[in-house]
Amino acid sequence: MKNNCSKWLYNPLLTFILALFFLPESLQAQEAKRWYDATTVYQIYPLSFKDSDGDGTGDIPGIISKLDYLKTLGIETLWLSPVYSSPWQDHGYDISGYTTIHPRMGNMDDFDRLIQEARKRNMRIVMDLVMNHTSEQHPWFQAAIKDKPGGPFRNMYVWKEGKKRPNNWKSMTSGNGWHYHKEAKAWYWASFLPFQPDLNYHNPAVKDSLFGVMDFWIQRGVSGFRLDIFNCLAEDSLFRNNPPSLRPIPSEGNPDGFFQKVTYTQNTEKTLEIAREFRAHLDSVSQGEAFSVGEVFGSGELLQKYTAQGQGLHSVFFFKTMHAGFKPHKWKKIIRENDLNFPYPQQPTWVLSNHDKKRFISRLKNKESKMRCVVFMQFTLRGIPFIYQGEELGMRQQKLNPKFGQDPIVKKFGVAATRFARISGESLNRDECRTPFSWNSEKNAGFSTSDSPWLSPAKEAGNIHAEKQLNDPNSLFHFYRKLLSMRKSLSELNSGKMDSLRLKNKILSYRRYSDQSSMYCYINFARKSRRIKEKTAEGKVIFGNIETDAKGRNKIPGRSSVILWVRP
Ligand code: GLC
């Protein structure tokens, strides 16, 4: 294989034309795909995306003004973090009105316009649905306080009468999850923070109400839901104590922690049953068109129960990827596990960060070459990639003083958050990954004209911003764009099968294939060029570069990725 040959083949437009020319049967032969099988989801954190009215916070008209940017990137599914009415104690994850829009975000006309403008561009909107809890200011909870024990409103939430704390259950955020309400003269349960009382899923009226919310948004034109802490939906109706555990801190892969197992508070049989009912309802109200992804935590085996072989949620996040760093053996293990746990027609998810977690590039010490390798995997593996806003620019995690934190988690932990971050490398200050999107080098990185945006822009915003990267064909933005366009046009990548997962000589490789052809994907994790010996090296390079040395041996440059296209 010659270098110049690989160069002219390394061109997405040409690749697309080639693919259409050579692979017509392969494209036609695909089973009728569901739109969400081949999609990439882009997470918008509206508060920090684009402010249209200069009040210092992002809003829906701001999102509309940037749809063309997202279209240029190649995105067609947008997940919106909450835009509902809310006292905003947890930035919208504390809902006080499920079918109204927070005035800071705009109004329902703006929302309808967003749906229309998205449609014009063949884009879809996925809403964030917080089913587990409401805000304490939600009219249901306010009525529950005043209601008598066992009354219809009281019964919407998880209450227990009596003087003593009902049992040993701890909240996900540590500490006692039971809170005594003086006016109600009873304890209410909150899986997350005290101002987010849990709804009672043993009461069928709660499920019906939330399914009604889902109907409302589907009828308004949304294409699905991201389901917030779905794992916490239904607690044990007998209120049994959680068993002890030796684990001090829960993790994404194992939610036991704070020295107890979460047997009776998370992932209960009742919650899994609701996942199946949710799916049946969603399918019926959307004629099988809408999509769901659940935020759940646990082992791969547990997570797959939520999708119930296609009878439950369409997909669930698999967060282990966030902690794989740049370690090829970890990636290999995760790829195998994710692929096995979610066999077709189920879809694994590939997620690197979100509005709660450290920005992924900063886990790689802000090394863009490493980030490119990981992103390459994200887009060439079987499954649904998720991009958190700004990831496509390499936006970084910020170090912020917890004293001025706006996030309720950092407010809860105060200075302990800094100590935790030092020891664990993780952040308890979620403001640090939520700084405004960097659009350009103007005031507030083009995010807002306000003199006091809700968070200051990232400190590198003058250098890392969308305008600059749009103009640079070698930027990270264009790297994402190329991958997105290849994934969209090549059926092997968007719906083919996967096998031949290998790690050899620091090169991780796998094959994506259809009946017509194979795509061999290689990622060289080493700093230097490494040889590939397989005879698949006879393929055509359609992504990345292969170097040929003086002895005619094929090598993949250090920290880079390649796709070889082979027809049988
Ligand atoms: C989820 C959200 C997070 C929120 C929490 C409580 O983990 O991603 O932002 O604080 O649930 O709703």
Side-chain angles (χ1 to χ4, degrees):
M1 194 171 339
K2 293 283 174 288
N3 224 1
N4 51 3
C5 164
S6 56
K7 256 189 212 148
W8 69 261
L9 276 163
Y10 177 45
N11 176 321
L13 184 64
L14 205 58
T15 307
F16 179 60
I17 296 166
L18 264 176
L20 285 181
F21 185 73
F22 283 111
L23 303 171
E25 317 93 86
S26 118
L27 290 174
Q28 284 160 19
Q30 288 308 308
E31 288 176 45
K33 267 180 309 197
R34 303 165 302 180
W35 65 268
Y36 42 80
D37 281 342
T39 198
T40 295
V41 182
Y42 187 95
Q43 182 192 355
I44 294 187
Y45 192 67
L47 197 57
S48 297
F49 194 58
K50 174 69 188 164
D51 173 16
S52 72
D53 56 6
D55 68 354
T57 56
D59 46 44
I60 297 173
I63 299 173
I64 298 173
S65 72
K66 294 298 180 186
L67 289 177
D68 286 333
Y69 164 82
L70 297 165
K71 188 75 194 163
T72 306
L73 179 58
I75 298 295
E76 80 299 320
T77 304
L78 305 177
W79 146 31
L80 255 53
S81 278
V83 290
Y84 312 95
S85 298
S86 160
W88 224 256
Q89 283 173 279
D90 189 7
H91 300 127
Y93 285 92
D94 48 329
I95 298 175
S96 56
Y98 281 102
T99 52
T100 45
I101 300 287
H102 194 296
R104 204 183 273 179
M105 291 288 151
N107 55 37
M108 203 50 98
D109 288 343
D110 294 325
F111 186 83
D112 290 342
R113 202 155 54 83
L114 171 65
I115 296 275
Q116 284 161 17
E117 291 296 325
R119 273 207 191 123
K120 274 191 207 159
R121 295 165 176 83
N122 281 327
M123 292 167 123
R124 295 168 181 272
I125 304 293
V126 166
M127 298 286 273
D128 212 316
L129 189 56
V130 187
M131 290 175 67
N132 178 67
H133 51 264
T134 67
S135 153
E136 63 185 352
Q137 290 181 33
H138 194 290
W140 294 342
F141 191 70
Q142 289 304 313
I145 294 169
K146 297 192 171 62
D147 203 359
K148 56 180 186 309
F153 279 105
R154 186 62 77 92
N155 212 14
M156 296 280 285
Y157 293 85
V158 183
W159 291 95
K160 207 69 177 125
E161 280 74 41
K163 288 226 161 91
K164 264 179 52 200
R165 182 185 159 188
N167 61 24
N168 73 350
W169 295 353
K170 287 185 182 156
S171 108
M172 279 178 94
T173 62
S174 82
N176 176 13
W178 287 105
H179 308 283
Y180 189 74
H181 201 286
K182 279 193 193 137
E183 198 186 331
K185 296 193 183 58
W187 299 81
Y188 68 88
W189 165 249
S191 293
F192 207 70
L193 290 164
F195 55 81
Q196 293 161 313
D198 270 41
L199 286 161
N200 171 17
Y201 278 87
H202 294 286
N203 174 1
V206 167
K207 196 184 64 196
D208 291 349
S209 303
L210 267 293
F211 284 7
V213 168
M214 184 155 90
D215 298 354
F216 174 89
W217 291 106
I218 291 285
Q219 277 145 20
R220 261 206 129 89
V222 314
S223 300
F225 301 97
R226 176 264 186 189
L227 301 164
D228 191 67
I229 53 171
F230 198 87
N231 53 315
C232 295
L233 240 50
E235 298 73 27
D236 179 40
S237 56
L238 301 175
F239 297 95
R240 282 170 281 190
N241 274 331
N242 272 336
S245 150
L246 291 175
R247 285 173 60 81
I249 311 274
S251 66
E252 279 88 4
N254 184 347
D256 294 338
F258 314 123
F259 303 103
Q260 65 177 226
K261 293 193 173 148
V262 292
T263 316
Y264 297 120
T265 41
Q266 294 186 35
N267 307 315
T268 59
E269 280 306 318
K270 180 73 183 167
T271 298
L272 294 170
E273 183 189 311
I274 296 168
R276 294 189 292 271
E277 290 172 359
F278 176 93
R279 173 63 179 271
H281 186 86
L282 186 60
D283 278 353
S284 84
V285 69
S286 72
Q287 284 88 43
E289 264 298 294
F291 159 78
S292 56
V293 55
E295 185 194 31
V296 294
F297 307 94
S299 65
E301 261 163 66
L302 174 86
L303 298 189
Q304 56 161 295
K305 291 193 186 160
Y306 278 95
T307 58
Q309 277 112 39
Q311 308 291 303
L313 306 182
H314 293 82
S315 56
V316 288
F317 290 123
F318 184 61
F319 290 125
K320 271 195 188 170
T321 39
M322 291 182 170
H323 304 285
F326 200 62
K327 307 217 165 55
H329 60 280
K330 279 203 180 168
W331 276 103
K332 186 183 166 200
K333 216 167 142 209
I334 287 172
I335 293 170
R336 172 162 302 141
E337 191 183 346
N338 214 2
D339 194 53
L340 281 177
N341 283 329
F342 302 99
Y344 191 83
Q346 298 168 82
Q347 291 283 67
T349 56
W350 298 104
V351 45
L352 300 180
S353 56
N354 62 30
H355 65 293
D356 297 329
K357 297 289 170 186
K358 196 166 178 173
R359 284 200 172 265
F360 195 82
I361 196 164
S362 298
R363 294 186 188 274
L364 307 176
K365 301 213 166 67
N366 299 321
K367 290 270 185 309
E368 197 182 301
S369 57
K370 292 185 176 178
M371 183 72 179
R372 287 182 186 226
C373 289
V374 174
V375 171
F376 173 86
M377 292 191 280
Q378 211 189 359
F379 287 93
T380 54
L381 286 163
R382 189 179 68 79
I384 307 172
F386 282 77
I387 306 175
Y388 173 49
Q389 67 179 42
E391 218 161 66
E392 75 279 15
L393 304 176
M395 277 186 66
R396 299 174 179 179
Q397 183 81 1
Q398 303 298 303
K399 264 209 183 96
L400 303 178
N401 188 336
K403 262 201 240 154
F404 309 114
Q406 309 211 30
D407 170 27
I409 294 286
V410 78
K411 284 187 188 157
K412 170 168 175 163
F413 291 100
V415 281
T418 320
R419 250 173 267 141
F420 177 83
R422 217 176 293 134
I423 300 166
S424 67
E426 295 298 322
S427 171
L428 285 182
N429 183 356
R430 299 180 298 177
D431 294 347
E432 296 185 336
C433 61
R434 296 175 176 178
T435 51
F437 193 98
S438 306
W439 291 106
N440 52 42
S441 55
E442 290 163 22
K443 182 177 178 181
N444 296 322
F447 159 68
S448 169
T449 52
S450 162
D451 289 333
S452 47
W454 85 281
L455 281 179
S456 301
K459 73 175 187 312
E460 322 69 22
N463 192 31
I464 300 177
H465 59 76
E467 191 182 274
K468 185 172 170 194
Q469 296 203 20
L470 274 159
N471 291 328
D472 174 4
N474 296 317
S475 64
L476 187 58
F477 174 90
H478 281 285
F479 182 80
Y480 268 85
R481 193 170 170 230
K482 270 174 212 155
L483 282 168
L484 270 153
S485 104
M486 287 193 69
R487 194 172 175 276
K488 211 167 286 170
S489 57
L490 299 175
S491 55
E492 287 74 11
L493 295 186
N494 66 42
S495 49
K497 296 184 179 124
M498 189 190 92
D499 69 3
S500 313
L501 177 64
R502 255 181 227 127
L503 175 61
K504 217 169 152 194
N505 205 15
K506 280 214 169 176
I507 293 185
L508 187 72
S509 58
Y510 42 87
R511 178 174 80 120
R512 298 294 314 280
Y513 65 99
S514 66
D515 293 343
Q516 280 71 35
S517 75
S518 294
M519 306 272 167
Y520 289 87
C521 302
Y522 297 90
I523 305 100
N524 180 4
F525 281 78
R527 209 169 293 165
K528 295 201 173 138
S529 306
R530 293 270 163 120
R531 271 177 71 187
I532 45 168
K533 292 180 190 155
E534 293 93 332
K535 62 174 188 311
T536 50
E538 303 309 321
K540 284 187 174 146
V541 178
I542 60 164
F543 187 89
N545 268 313
I546 296 250
E547 293 168 350
T548 311
D549 70 9
K551 292 184 184 155
R553 294 178 305 194
N554 292 323
K555 288 184 170 183
I556 299 185
R559 286 187 189 151
S560 75
S561 41
V562 165
I563 302 180
L564 292 173
W565 174 42
V566 180
R567 299 184 75 204

